[in-house]
Amino acid sequence: MQSPDAPFSLKKIAVPAFGPSVLYGVSNGAILPVVALSARELGASVATSGLIVALIGIGSLVSNIPAALVTSRYGERHSMVGAAALSVLALLLCIFASHAWMLAVGVFFIGMASSIFMLARQTYMIDAVPVYMRARALSTLAGTMRIGAFAGPFAGAALIHFMGLDGAYWVAIAAMMGAGLIAYHAPDMAPPERQPGGSAHAKPRLLDIARSHSRVLLTLGLGILLVSAVRASRQVVIPLWADHLGMSASTTSLIYGLVAAIDMSVFYPAGTLMDRRGRLWVAVPSTLLMGVALIGTSLSTGVIGFIVVSMMLGLGNGISSGIVMTLGADAAPTKGRTEFLGIWRLVADMGSSLGPVVLSIMTGVASLALAVGTMGIFGLGAAAVFWRWLPRGNPSAKNG
């Protein structure tokens, strides 16, 4: 690792650090729009097709702890290569699936591979950059994945035109093979004691890590759970509220694209602000913006008002890019970092799974407006948690 005083540029590590993330985003973006359609082609009902799509998130959720153990044992680089290989095999299973259950298995393994890949990617970046540039690096990491996810559907659509739905999966395979190849040739960044076979010391146990860091997991972890729930629900809120207002599909898509453009344009300035002024300067405003925007959405009755609050939602989500990874990296101990980050990702994924579920239940028992407003309150709750428990200033040293 470099000292904080050593000159450092993200450009020096751009390809090994961000190349796999862009390609991973392309892979995910290419297949997400077509998984449900593939399930329908194999004879699955609409409800079953929705469940198969959800298996990506479920696979990631249940694999966070195993991903931490794998990454801790084999190292970040080898874990990324292995995750890319697993993803390619899972995508091939999706292509050659003759029954819906085969597609479901493939999709579940894609989620598992995603968990390993993302944890290893985050840990690699923490080692690759000095602390004073951590937020910029992790915000850019999250931002490049979003750019890839934005480009993925267009790349998939181009090949679908010639090959049918399988074209999207072949785009995803090519992207994941590229990500694995870059990871394979990337230099090791971990200190010798954390490289595979580099230390004879026993690895800390997950339960011990959870116990010794229970305070931060129960305080900041709550904020991470809430902000993850808000982020996941926002992707459902925009099309649902547009439909509620009677907008056409083309208008909804245009608004969604506008929100995505705003989302992708602000990640680096937000990371720079976090590095220079502290995490609080982004964590609180971003969650307040999303909370207020969602409450505003539940009260909007016209197209103009809906566009304004949707743009606020995109801005809030965009400036929060990388916040979950950055706060996890700040809170993680030097010894047992990978295990801690596995638990941290588990909390975040629980929030991501919780958001749409709460939205669905509230809509069913009350109304869509009350459900969207409730998610806005989640955003305000996250802001309150961060205001109360986030340290002021910048983290200058790691915990032991």
Side-chain angles (χ1 to χ4, degrees), residues 74-94:
Y74 296 105
E76 292 87 358
R77 226 170 36 86
H78 292 153
S79 296
M80 281 188 281
V81 173
L86 176 60
S87 189
V88 167
L89 292 174
L91 288 162
L92 287 171
L93 180 58
C94 293

Side-chain angles (χ1 to χ4, degrees), residues 150 256-266:
F150 184 76
Y256 205 95
L258 178 63
V259 171
I262 295 171
D263 190 329
M264 292 185 296
S265 65
V266 294

Side-chain angles (χ1 to χ4, degrees), residues 23 27 36 38 89 144 153 160-161 193 212 221 231-232 235 243-244 277 283 302 319 322 331-332 359 363:
L23 292 171
S27 177
S38 297
L89 292 174
T144 52
I160 287 171
H161 181 71
E193 67 272 12
S212 60
R231 281 171 156 184
Q235 301 184 56
D243 179 70
H244 173 73
R277 302 302 298 270
I319 62 176
L359 189 71
T363 301

Side-chain angles (χ1 to χ4, degrees), residues 22 33 46 61 106 130 154 168 170 187 194-195 197 230 268 327 329 331 333:
V22 174
V46 173
L61 176 67
F154 296 102
W170 285 113
R194 287 207 305 106
Q195 292 181 12
V230 170
Y268 192 80
L327 296 185

Side-chain angles (χ1 to χ4, degrees), residues 278-299:
R279 314 319 191 204
L280 195 72
W281 284 72
V282 165
V284 172
S286 66
T287 46
L288 278 176
L289 261 176
M290 287 190 284
V292 170
L294 285 166
I295 292 172
T297 298
S298 71
L299 301 173

Side-chain angles (χ1 to χ4, degrees), residues 276-330:
R276 292 180 177 172
R277 302 302 298 270
R279 314 319 191 204
L280 195 72
W281 284 72
V282 165
V284 172
S286 66
T287 46
L288 278 176
L289 261 176
M290 287 190 284
V292 170
L294 285 166
I295 292 172
T297 298
S298 71
L299 301 173
S300 65
T301 56
V303 175
I304 300 301
F306 177 59
I307 291 174
V308 170
V309 292
S310 295
M311 290 171 66
M312 285 176 58
L313 192 56
L315 179 62
N317 189 62
I319 62 176
S320 73
S321 177
I323 192 71
V324 172
M325 290 190 289
T326 301
L327 296 185
D330 291 343

Side-chain angles (χ1 to χ4, degrees), residues 46-91:
V46 173
T48 302
S49 298
L51 178 61
I52 290 174
V53 174
L55 285 174
I56 295 180
I58 295 170
S60 176
L61 176 67
V62 302
S63 301
N64 279 307
I65 300 304
L69 299 176
V70 167
T71 304
S72 180
R73 179 169 182 176
Y74 296 105
E76 292 87 358
R77 226 170 36 86
H78 292 153
S79 296
M80 281 188 281
V81 173
L86 176 60
S87 189
V88 167
L89 292 174
L91 288 162

